[in-house]
């Protein structure tokens, strides 16, 4: 079991298992976990065993019960050190915000400029002006991710043999509780049940379609390989995260700080993103809204991921995830 900084609030919720046993939802406080299957009031409708998603589907009723459970001796408590920590939930949908941190977008534009292209200062000025226009026009950029890319917060990340430029992108993820469809910005926070950490890995060489540049980006292949979205460790209730616009996002690679930026650098905050997405998509309990990644990615650093690298990601009050990179044992794709 990995060590981790404390999370905000008296408890968080995650998904755990003992040995080869089935995964179960648990309430974690410091160094122990309450098996939420042992709390009768939390059983899923129809009497089935709860999952983190079924808890989120009844979040308004469940949260007070979790407060009571954390303060009582009821149920079966287990040492956290004896448990495997899985990704905290299996979302139905993942909505990802791109180009949402001002400095990050400017740095990426400079890194992607071809040799002999525009001078770096010209690129920075032009992209900064574009960021200003986007903020003024109030138009976030959002694309769709696949749940099959999710892996646990301490699991290995497999670098496919075809991936030449694997990169990290640590992000704040908002977890939907109440369904959200066409909600105004002012009401959007009421639909966020919790926050967690996501690392949105990217195959940089595949982001732009060089065979058909008119089409633009290819997010399917660039971001959705298995294990490319480490998630967790826990769901920290939004009630414990007083200001999602004031959290520090920090990623270390082999102990060296690569990303270290406040969510204040976001162009569009959580409420704006949730509201914007909900105008088109009905957000459902357990869905993830990834809010974009700050500056300090590998393309900017000139140092991309390699087998045996260890990424450690933290966001204020949300704990830590730690993932080792490994080569794909299956070798080159056919």
């Amino acid at each position: 079991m990995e060590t981790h900084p404390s999370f905000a609030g008296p408890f968080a919720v995650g998904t755990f298992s003992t040995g080869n046993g089935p995964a179960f939802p648990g309430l974690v406080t410091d160094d122990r976990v309450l098996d939420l299957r042992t709390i009768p009031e939390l059983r899923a409708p129809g009497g089935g065993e709860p999952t983190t998603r079924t808890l989120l589907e009844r979040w308004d009723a469940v949260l007070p019960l979790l407060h009571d459970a954390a303060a009582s001796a009821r149920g079966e408590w287990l040492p956290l050190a004896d448990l495997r920590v899985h990704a905290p939930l299996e979302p139905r949908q993942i909505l990802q915000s791109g180009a949402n941190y001002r400095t990050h977008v400017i740095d990426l534009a400079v890194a992607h400029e071809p040799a002999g292209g525009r001078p770096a200062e010209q690129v920075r000025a032009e992209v900064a002006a574009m960021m200003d226009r986007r903020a003024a026009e109030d138009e976030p950029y959002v694309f769709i991710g696949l749940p099959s890319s999710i892996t646990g917060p301490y699991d290995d990340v497999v670098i496919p043999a075809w991936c030449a430029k694997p990169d990290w992108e640590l992000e704040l993820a908002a977890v939907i509780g109440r369904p959200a469809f066409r909600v105004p910005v002012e009401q959007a926070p009421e639909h966020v049940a919790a926050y967690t950490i996501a690392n949105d890995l990217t195959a940089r060489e595949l982001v732009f379609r060089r065979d058909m540049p008119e089409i633009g980006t290819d997010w399917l292949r660039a971001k959705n390989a298995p294990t490319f979205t480490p998630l967790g460790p826990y769901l920290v209730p939004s009630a414990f995260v007083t200001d999602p616009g004031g959290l520090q996002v920090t990623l270390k690679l082999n102990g060296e700080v690569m990303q270290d930026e406040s969510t204040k650098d976001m162009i569009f905050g959580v409420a704006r993103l949730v509201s914007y997405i909900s105008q088109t998509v009905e957000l459902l309990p357990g869905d993830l809204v990834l809010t974009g990644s700050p500056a300090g990615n590998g393309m900017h650093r000139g140092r991309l991921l390699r087998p045996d690298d260890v990424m450690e990601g933290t966001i204020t009050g949300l704990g830590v995830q730690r993932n080792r990179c490994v080569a794909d044992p299956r070798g080159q794709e056919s």
Side-chain angles (χ1 to χ4, degrees), residues 99 105 125-135:
V105 177
E126 292 176 359
V127 176
M130 183 261 288
M131 292 291 99
D132 291 340
R133 287 195 303 272
R134 286 185 60 222

Side-chain angles (χ1 to χ4, degrees), residues 52-105:
T52 50
R53 189 194 293 176
T54 63
L55 296 177
L56 289 163
E57 289 170 349
R58 301 182 293 135
W59 190 247
D60 289 341
V62 162
L63 188 57
L65 297 174
L66 296 180
H67 277 279
D68 292 343
S72 74
R74 295 179 61 202
E76 181 181 354
W77 290 86
L78 304 167
L80 176 59
D82 293 346
L83 300 176
R84 178 182 175 186
V85 183
H86 298 269
L89 83 161
E90 297 180 4
R92 296 179 181 90
Q93 305 179 110
I94 304 176
L95 288 305
Q96 301 179 233
S97 176
N100 197 38
Y101 278 77
R102 183 183 177 88
T103 305
H104 173 64
V105 177

Side-chain angles (χ1 to χ4, degrees), residues 4-332:
H4 60 85
S6 60
F7 43 80
F11 61 81
V13 175
T15 299
F16 307 88
S17 65
T18 56
N20 295 320
F24 63 89
L27 183 148
V28 58
T29 63
D30 297 324
D31 59 354
R32 61 179 189 156
V33 173
L34 172 62
D35 184 343
L36 293 177
R37 296 174 299 181
T38 63
I39 304 298
E41 297 89 339
L42 295 177
R43 297 190 71 83
E49 290 191 345
T51 65
T52 50
R53 189 194 293 176
T54 63
L55 296 177
L56 289 163
E57 289 170 349
R58 301 182 293 135
W59 190 247
D60 289 341
V62 162
L63 188 57
L65 297 174
L66 296 180
H67 277 279
D68 292 343
S72 74
R74 295 179 61 202
E76 181 181 354
W77 290 86
L78 304 167
L80 176 59
D82 293 346
L83 300 176
R84 178 182 175 186
V85 183
H86 298 269
L89 83 161
E90 297 180 4
R92 296 179 181 90
Q93 305 179 110
I94 304 176
L95 288 305
Q96 301 179 233
S97 176
N100 197 38
Y101 278 77
R102 183 183 177 88
T103 305
H104 173 64
V105 177
I106 294 171
D107 287 347
L108 272 182
V110 172
H112 277 291
E113 186 70 15
R118 297 168 297 172
E121 288 310 309
Q122 179 183 344
V123 174
R124 289 184 179 278
E126 292 176 359
V127 176
M130 183 261 288
M131 292 291 99
D132 291 340
R133 287 195 303 272
R134 286 185 60 222
E137 293 167 359
D138 199 20
E139 286 291 329
Y141 175 52
V142 179
F143 54 95
I144 302 167
L146 296 178
S148 58
S149 69
I150 287 177
T151 194
Y154 308 120
D155 294 342
D156 288 345
V157 166
V158 178
I159 301 176
W162 48 258
C163 182
K165 295 182 178 180
D167 203 350
W168 59 83
E169 291 195 25
L170 200 68
E171 308 196 11
L172 174 67
V175 185
I176 298 299
R178 297 178 186 171
F181 188 54
R182 297 178 181 169
V183 299
V185 174
E186 297 76 18
Q187 296 177 13
E190 301 170 13
H191 296 263
V192 177
Y195 292 98
T196 191
I197 304 171
N199 191 350
D200 175 31
L201 271 76
T202 305
R204 291 289 179 198
E205 77 278 15
L206 298 177
V207 170
F208 299 107
R209 290 295 298 256
R210 301 193 183 280
D211 57 334
M212 294 181 288
E214 298 83 2
I215 288 179
T217 49
D218 186 351
W219 295 127
L220 171 67
R221 201 168 185 221
K223 288 183 175 286
N224 287 291
T227 75
F228 261 36
T229 312
L231 187 71
Y234 311 121
L235 307 182
V236 176
S238 57
F240 305 156
V241 181
T242 55
D243 181 13
L247 306 178
Q248 199 71 15
V249 179
T250 305
L251 183 135
K252 296 180 182 179
L253 181 68
N254 303 326
E256 181 181 355
V257 174
M258 295 292 173
Q259 292 182 290
D260 192 23
E261 181 65 80
S262 170
T263 53
K264 288 185 175 69
D265 197 45
M266 286 194 292
I267 300 169
F268 302 103
V270 172
R272 180 67 190 106
L273 291 173
V274 170
S275 175
Y276 174 80
I277 293 165
S278 79
Q279 304 309 309
T280 302
V281 176
E282 182 177 6
L283 290 168
L284 302 170
D287 287 352
L288 298 178
V289 175
L290 273 58
T291 59
S293 186
N297 65 288
M299 279 292 288
H300 172 67
R301 299 283 186 186
R303 167 53 163 101
L304 295 158
L305 292 169
R306 301 190 287 255
D308 295 324
D309 281 342
V310 176
M311 299 175 290
E312 182 178 284
T314 64
I315 298 180
T316 308
L318 303 184
V320 62
Q321 56 175 226
R322 188 176 295 111
N323 303 91
R324 182 173 66 100
C325 296
V326 300
D328 190 341
R330 294 167 295 185
Q332 185 68 37

